[in-house]
Amino acid sequence: MRPVIRARLVRFVPVGVAWSVCFLLLFRSRAHLLVPSEGVVWIALATLLCVIGAVGYVVRYRMPRIVRQDFARWIAVAAAPIFSVSAAAGGLASPAAILPAGVVLAVAWKRGAREAGLAALIAVVALASLDLLLGRSPFAAGALISAAAISTVGILPLWVSRRTETETRRARQRLERVEVFLRDRPPTPRGTSVVASDLRKSAQDASREADAVEQMEILDRYLRDARDALGADEVVFWRWHSSADALRATAWSTEGALAPTHFRLEEWGSLVQWSAEGDVVHCDEQDVLAHLATGPVADEGKLLGAISATNARGFVLSREELRERIARTAAHVAQLHALLEHRGEHHRLRRRGDALLRAVQQIQAHTSTESLARGICQTALDITEGATATLVRWDAALSAGVVETASAGAEVLRGQKVTADSLVGDSCLRGTPLVLEDARRLPRSGAIYGPADAVGPVGSLGVVPLVREARILGAVVVTGVNPDPHLQADLRNVSLFAAVAATSLEMAWQIEEVSRRASTDQLTGLSNRRYFDEQLHRVLAESDRSGLSAALIMADIDYFKRVNDNFGHEAGDAVLKHVAAVFLEQVRAIDICARYGGEEIALLLPQTDLAGAIELAERLRRAVAAKTAVYRGREIPVTSSFGVSSYPQTARTRDTLFPSADKALYDAKGAGRNCVKAAPVPRLSSAS
């Protein structure tokens, strides 16, 4: 007799014995069978159902190992007395016919709804056959009612609960995968799915997760082919996790399952672990037939995990042939895993390169210095999870800098001085990035850019210096409201982007510097006359379009010739620089302050009426008089005279704005100097 047939006959000997004994007792006492009253039947039925429920709980959650190893055989043994009791209590005509539903329920918990349906059909046929053997005539209606009761109690609750749970899990899993895969992937003008935000650590993790899902699906398909070739119930690939020092199921052959369903972890888990660690192919030796075959999965000497194949009834293949096939399958899994890993890494590197190229293309599309600076700040926010970003321009000669541009929400920082003792200044001095993933303990002011800065509470802080040929041009500063555990990884991509952006930024700043020098007076740092005349026409044209006023202040240093005569022309230059510095401290960023000629200074004020211009002129006059100029240790008192005019209040036409302000300046000098005079508002002539 073949070993397979002999082994299976031995396994089902207890089943035959149990059924034989129960049937023998049933038929020996059939002449004395008593059909109890309906009340007694229902009480017995309720008691037996409670017992079945308790047994079902034990079977489901605390099943002894000896029962768990061969569950089907124990169910078949237990079914014999249950069917005998049902038949003795009246068969299909009695409510006790529902007792076999306990057997069906146990089958459903272990094998699933399909096998339970077959068990329910067998139960109905068996009860009908027993009725015939016992001399009772089963009715078709009773058979249908019993079949419905057995199916409802034994199958329906489990089927509904498991189906609902499975569908909910699958729907949630699909939704999570889709959300993760599509997160932060807005459409672009070119229609490509690659954007600068793909450089974020969170986006890269999402992409890696999507790749992992695809890899697992490919491994699942291969393992299904391996399962069919081996004649197994299930084949599982166990991935080695060095951090946990354990094996975890990564892919399996069972379709639609969220975890391996045929692998007995308590019984076989240690064997798979031993096979992986010992680098041996192994089959279990507890029975005539092998139920488990496992082997290590390694790639170029590196342990990846293990492969396991299981069959609850036993493999038909001999152990030698099974070991050979498992070793071959493990080698194929190792090769497939390596190919999938290389492909995933290639895809990630390609996406990262495309996203970085996309970010660089966005920067190169800007045509002005201001738009380029804003683009750098915005791209820094796209690459990171930051809330605000600023661009700092650094002067290495002065060891100081200034916030050139700020993103939305941080405009108040524009123009902020950056000192060498601040965090940003120290990063620029050293030329090294600064990463604070949790910056909540930083002082709320005076620590990031310099004293009295307008920075509020900061959760994270990153500073990336802009380096060009070993020269520090500035830095990109990114701040977040909350701590950012991904900031370190995100700033690496910002550094790559900044290395490319530094070239464009340096060229733009150089062009801007050349343009500034062409429009700036070299001595005072104020705008020159040519630039002032250009801006005068622009401001007056904007005033006509907007309907807002524009004002002009003409200032002249009092007794400037005496300074040159008494102290020399170098002292006169020092006085001019001193007065220009006082003016620049008082004016707005939109105001145009120019050295118009000699000791005369012209100040053009957009969107300002006559009263506002007079107020500013008076403030400038007091500021100049309050500070003495110093030349070679000697203090030189300085005062100025001011003439103010406004368009269209005092100057009805553009051409009369400058002459009216100049006339007011002449009046101030004639009134004793060190005073402010405004051009008179012209009277409207009455129509004749």
Side-chain angles (χ1 to χ4, degrees), residues 85-429:
V85 171
S86 301
L92 290 176
S94 171
I98 201 174
L99 290 179
V103 177
V104 177
L105 182 62
V107 173
W109 278 115
K110 185 63 179 179
R111 305 294 297 182
R114 291 183 179 179
E115 288 77 359
L118 179 61
L121 178 61
I122 294 174
V124 174
V125 173
L127 286 176
S129 301
L130 288 174
D131 280 345
L132 291 174
L133 292 175
L134 293 173
R136 291 192 292 259
S137 298
F139 297 97
L144 291 176
I145 294 173
S146 299
I150 292 173
S151 300
T152 302
V153 175
I155 302 175
L156 187 60
L158 176 68
W159 182 81
V160 172
S161 63
R162 286 197 172 180
R163 184 176 179 84
T164 303
E165 180 183 358
T166 302
E167 291 298 327
T168 303
R169 285 185 182 179
R170 289 177 179 175
R172 184 171 60 250
Q173 188 178 45
R174 287 195 299 267
L175 181 60
E176 289 176 354
R177 288 182 177 180
V178 171
E179 287 179 347
V180 169
F181 184 70
L182 297 180
R183 186 181 302 159
D184 298 327
R185 301 182 71 85
T188 64
R190 295 187 179 183
T192 176
S193 61
V194 179
V195 292
S197 58
D198 284 342
L199 290 170
R200 292 181 182 178
K201 179 64 166 56
S202 58
Q204 293 181 22
D205 289 344
S207 176
R208 187 176 293 106
E209 183 175 346
D211 288 341
V213 170
E214 184 180 2
Q215 291 176 14
M216 287 188 294
E217 291 176 351
I218 295 175
L219 283 171
D220 288 347
R221 289 197 295 269
Y222 173 76
L223 294 180
R224 286 196 285 270
D225 293 338
R227 174 198 61 189
D228 297 338
L230 292 169
D233 292 335
E234 189 174 56
V235 178
V236 183
F237 171 50
W238 304 85
R239 187 76 165 83
W240 178 262
H241 288 257
S242 56
S243 58
D245 194 25
L247 293 170
R248 293 180 182 174
T250 300
W252 46 88
S253 61
T254 306
E255 296 90 338
L258 300 177
T261 57
H262 300 281
F263 188 86
R264 301 198 287 264
L265 185 61
E266 294 183 6
E267 180 181 354
W268 292 331
S270 58
L271 296 177
V272 176
Q273 183 92 4
W274 173 77
S275 174
E277 293 177 348
D279 192 22
V280 294
V281 179
H282 176 70
C283 296
D284 65 330
E285 302 288 345
Q286 294 181 357
D287 207 338
V288 176
L289 301 178
H291 300 270
L292 166 73
T294 179
V297 178
D299 180 31
E300 297 180 355
K302 178 183 178 181
L303 178 64
L304 299 179
I307 198 82
S308 69
T310 56
N311 190 319
R313 297 176 300 275
F315 286 99
V316 178
L317 299 173
S318 65
R319 282 183 168 81
E320 291 74 14
E321 188 176 2
L322 192 57
R323 291 191 188 96
E324 179 183 352
R325 293 196 181 187
I326 282 292
R328 191 184 312 132
T329 302
H332 292 167
V333 170
Q335 295 174 0
L336 180 59
H337 184 275
L339 289 174
L340 293 175
E341 287 290 324
H342 291 322
R343 191 187 72 161
E345 184 65 22
H346 169 71
H347 286 175
R348 288 190 291 271
L349 291 175
R350 188 187 64 185
R351 282 193 293 266
R352 184 183 181 191
D354 291 344
L356 185 60
L357 178 61
R358 177 68 180 167
V360 172
Q361 289 174 344
Q362 290 176 346
I363 290 300
Q364 293 177 343
H366 296 285
T367 56
S368 66
T369 304
E370 184 177 356
S371 64
L372 174 62
R374 287 199 305 267
I376 290 175
C377 292
Q378 184 58 49
T379 304
L381 292 180
D382 292 340
I383 295 176
T384 66
E385 304 284 351
T388 62
T390 58
L391 176 64
V392 172
R393 188 170 184 174
W394 184 254
D395 190 337
L398 300 177
S399 295
V402 64
V403 176
E404 186 84 1
T405 306
S407 64
E411 294 89 348
V412 68
L413 291 172
R414 187 170 183 177
Q416 167 70 43
K417 303 296 182 182
V418 180
T419 58
D421 57 351
S422 65
L423 292 176
V424 177
D426 182 69
S427 180
C428 291
L429 284 174

Side-chain angles (χ1 to χ4, degrees), residues 73-93:
R73 182 170 54 179
W74 286 100
I75 287 295
V77 171
I82 291 176
F83 274 88
S84 299
V85 171
S86 301
L92 290 176

Side-chain angles (χ1 to χ4, degrees), residues 1 10 37 41 59 91 95 131 144 155 168 188 257 276 338 353 358 360 365 440 468 518 546 552 575 620 665:
M1 184 180 296
V10 171
S37 64
V41 169
V59 168
D131 280 345
L144 291 176
I155 302 175
T168 303
T188 64
R358 177 68 180 167
V360 172
R440 291 174 296 183
R468 173 68 175 160
S546 64
L552 176 64
V575 170
L620 288 170
L665 175 60

